[in-house]
Coordinates of all heavy atoms in Angstrom, one line a residue:
A215 N 101.2 143.1 77.9 CA 102.5 142.3 78.0 C 103.2 142.8 79.3 O 103.8 142.0 80.0 CB 103.3 142.5 76.8
A216 N 103.2 144.1 79.6 CA 103.9 144.6 80.8 C 103.2 144.1 82.0 O 103.9 143.7 83.0 CB 103.9 146.1 80.7
E217 N 101.8 144.1 81.9 CA 101.1 143.5 83.1 C 101.4 142.1 83.4 O 101.6 141.6 84.5 CB 99.6 143.9 83.0 CG 99.2 145.3 83.0 CD 97.7 145.6 82.7 OE1 97.2 144.6 82.1 OE2 97.2 146.6 83.0
A218 N 101.4 141.4 82.3 CA 101.7 139.9 82.5 C 103.0 139.7 83.0 O 103.2 138.8 83.8 CB 101.5 139.2 81.0
A219 N 104.1 140.4 82.5 CA 105.4 140.3 83.0 C 105.5 140.7 84.4 O 106.2 139.9 85.3 CB 106.3 141.2 82.2
A220 N 104.8 141.7 84.8 CA 104.7 142.1 86.3 C 104.1 141.0 87.2 O 104.6 140.6 88.3 CB 104.0 143.4 86.5
Q221 N 103.0 140.4 86.6 CA 102.4 139.3 87.4 C 103.3 138.1 87.5 O 103.4 137.4 88.6 CB 101.1 138.8 86.7 CG 100.0 139.9 86.8 CD 98.8 139.5 86.0 OE1 98.8 138.5 85.2 NE2 97.7 140.2 86.1
L222 N 104.1 137.8 86.4 CA 105.0 136.7 86.5 C 106.2 136.9 87.6 O 106.6 136.1 88.3 CB 105.7 136.5 85.1 CG 104.8 135.7 84.1 CD1 105.5 135.7 82.7 CD2 104.5 134.3 84.5
L223 N 106.6 138.2 87.6 CA 107.6 138.6 88.5 C 107.2 138.5 89.9 O 107.9 138.0 90.9 CB 108.2 140.0 88.2 CG 109.1 140.1 87.0 CD1 109.3 141.7 86.8 CD2 110.4 139.5 87.2
L224 N 105.8 138.9 90.1 CA 105.3 138.9 91.4 C 105.1 137.4 91.9 O 105.4 137.0 93.0 CB 103.9 139.5 91.4 CG 103.1 139.5 92.8 CD1 104.0 140.3 93.8 CD2 101.8 140.2 92.5
A225 N 104.7 136.5 90.9 CA 104.5 135.1 91.2 C 105.8 134.5 91.6 O 105.9 133.7 92.5 CB 103.9 134.4 90.0
A226 N 106.9 134.8 90.8 CA 108.1 134.2 91.1 C 108.7 134.7 92.4 O 109.3 133.9 93.2 CB 109.1 134.7 90.0
A227 N 108.5 136.0 92.8 CA 108.9 136.5 94.0 C 108.2 135.8 95.2 O 108.7 135.5 96.3 CB 108.8 138.0 94.1
T228 N 106.8 135.6 94.9 CA 106.0 134.9 95.9 C 106.5 133.5 96.2 O 106.6 133.1 97.4 CB 104.6 134.9 95.5 OG1 104.1 136.3 95.3 CG2 103.7 134.2 96.5
V229 N 106.7 132.8 95.1 CA 107.4 131.4 95.2 C 108.6 131.5 96.0 O 108.8 130.6 96.8 CB 107.6 130.9 93.8 CG1 108.4 129.6 93.9 CG2 106.2 130.5 93.1
G230 N 109.5 132.4 95.7 CA 110.8 132.5 96.5 C 110.6 132.7 97.9 O 111.2 132.1 98.7
C231 N 109.6 133.6 98.2 CA 109.4 133.9 99.6 C 108.7 132.8 100.3 O 109.1 132.4 101.4 CB 108.4 135.1 99.7 SG 109.1 136.6 99.2
L232 N 107.9 132.0 99.6 CA 107.2 130.8 100.2 C 108.3 129.7 100.5 O 108.3 129.1 101.5 CB 106.2 130.2 99.1 CG 104.9 131.0 99.0 CD1 104.1 130.4 97.9 CD2 104.1 131.2 100.2
W233 N 109.3 129.6 99.6 CA 110.4 128.6 99.9 C 111.2 129.0 101.0 O 111.7 128.3 101.7 CB 111.1 128.3 98.6 CG 112.2 127.4 98.8 CD1 113.6 127.6 98.8 CD2 112.1 126.0 99.3 NE1 114.3 126.5 99.2 CE2 113.4 125.5 99.4 CE3 111.0 125.2 99.5 CZ2 113.6 124.1 99.8 CZ3 111.2 123.9 99.8 CH2 112.5 123.4 100.1
C234 N 111.5 130.3 101.0 CA 112.3 130.8 102.1 C 111.7 130.5 103.5 O 112.3 130.0 104.4 CB 112.5 132.3 102.1 SG 113.6 132.8 100.8
A235 N 110.3 130.6 103.5 CA 109.6 130.3 104.8 C 109.7 128.8 105.0 O 109.9 128.4 106.2 CB 108.2 130.7 104.7

Side-chain angles (χ1 to χ4, degrees):
E217 289 172 347
Q221 288 175 351
L222 284 173
L223 287 171
L224 179 60
T228 303
V229 166
C231 291
L232 291 175
W233 176 247
C234 288

